[in-house]
Amino acid sequence: WGSEGGKNGSYFKSSGKGGYSVGTINLKEKTTLYIYVGESPISAKGGWNGGGSGAGGTAGGGGSTDISLYGEEGSTNWNNSKHLFSRIIVAGAGGGSGTEYEQYYGGYGGGEEGQSSGFGPVNNGGTQTRAGTNNEYSAGQGFGIGGTHTGSSSGGGSGWYGGGASCNNGFYTGGSGGSGYVFNSSTAQYYPEGCLLNGDFYLTESSTHAGNSTFPSPIGTSNETGHIGHGYAKITCV
């Protein structure tokens, strides 16, 4: 489960919800995996695990949740190539909230494409092959990283690819959501050059779901429509 976009001060009403990704992996031998659980921030700083920061006083984008083959044991550093290029499954995070004006919402994360925020540009969510749209008010969005707003609005959510911040220098606007991803024989083509995985780590029965859809809650047996709060990861032996 990816995290919800950030809330901060008056930027609290319309944060983007996190998405959900699921799959089954058949490990042939004892294997160490690294679990990165995304943060839903309460300040302008982007959430841990890739959320983009907003301008001062706004809200940061949410951090995605992922499981990777490589990482740094005992480290809080998520931003390294071993981690990013060995991700097996990713749940996208929502963009940071807009203010009380609901039309300036942060976009939901997850699924094959994160949602664009309530104030342009269009196609600003992360997809399977690119991050949010480059524009003069959003910087740094990319593979696993949400965009940081360089003007006065909220940050983009992270994911497989991160969502961008909004395209204007106005107040109130939220960030866009990051995409989800599941590594299998059909989706391996979307890995950029440098992938550290091979077919032994293909998932089966795998899917990624956007934060406007209904999927299982991480706790209990109920369902939820989009994930709120911090991200979550669950591993079940089958």
Side-chain angles (χ1 to χ4, degrees), residues 26-177:
N26 179 21
L27 297 173
K28 299 177 181 179
E29 58 186 12
K30 185 177 180 179
T31 305
T32 298
L33 298 175
Y34 293 81
I35 303 171
Y36 292 75
V37 179
E39 175 193 18
S40 179
I42 55 173
S43 70
K45 183 178 180 181
W48 189 82
N49 205 26
S53 293
T58 67
S64 58
T65 296
D66 66 74
I67 299 176
S68 64
L69 179 59
Y70 300 113
E72 295 180 358
E73 189 72 35
S75 172
T76 59
N77 176 28
W78 59 266
N79 192 9
N80 61 82
S81 60
K82 280 191 172 183
H83 162 224
L84 294 174
F85 284 86
S86 69
R87 291 179 293 167
I88 300 167
I89 187 168
V90 182
S97 178
T99 61
E100 66 271 15
Y101 300 100
E102 292 190 25
Q103 67 267 33
Y104 296 145
Y105 57 83
Y108 58 75
E112 294 184 355
E113 182 173 351
Q115 183 189 28
S116 297
S117 63
F119 191 102
V122 297
N123 302 319
N124 199 29
T127 75
Q128 298 299 283
T129 57
R130 61 155 181 81
T133 305
N134 287 320
N135 64 77
E136 62 179 313
Y137 297 114
S138 184
Q141 63 265 37
F143 188 55
I145 303 173
T148 290
H149 203 278
T150 59
S152 54
S153 294
S154 295
S158 67
W160 175 241
Y161 280 93
S166 60
C167 69
N168 76 326
N169 196 29
F171 298 95
Y172 316 128
T173 57
S176 298

Side-chain angles (χ1 to χ4, degrees), residues 176-204:
S176 298
S179 55
Y181 179 76
V182 288
F183 181 65
N184 58 42
S185 58
S186 297
T187 63
Q189 63 180 312
Y190 300 133
Y191 241 109
E193 184 178 354
C195 177
L196 300 174
L197 301 174
N198 58 38
D200 291 341
F201 296 94
Y202 283 161
L203 297 170
T204 59

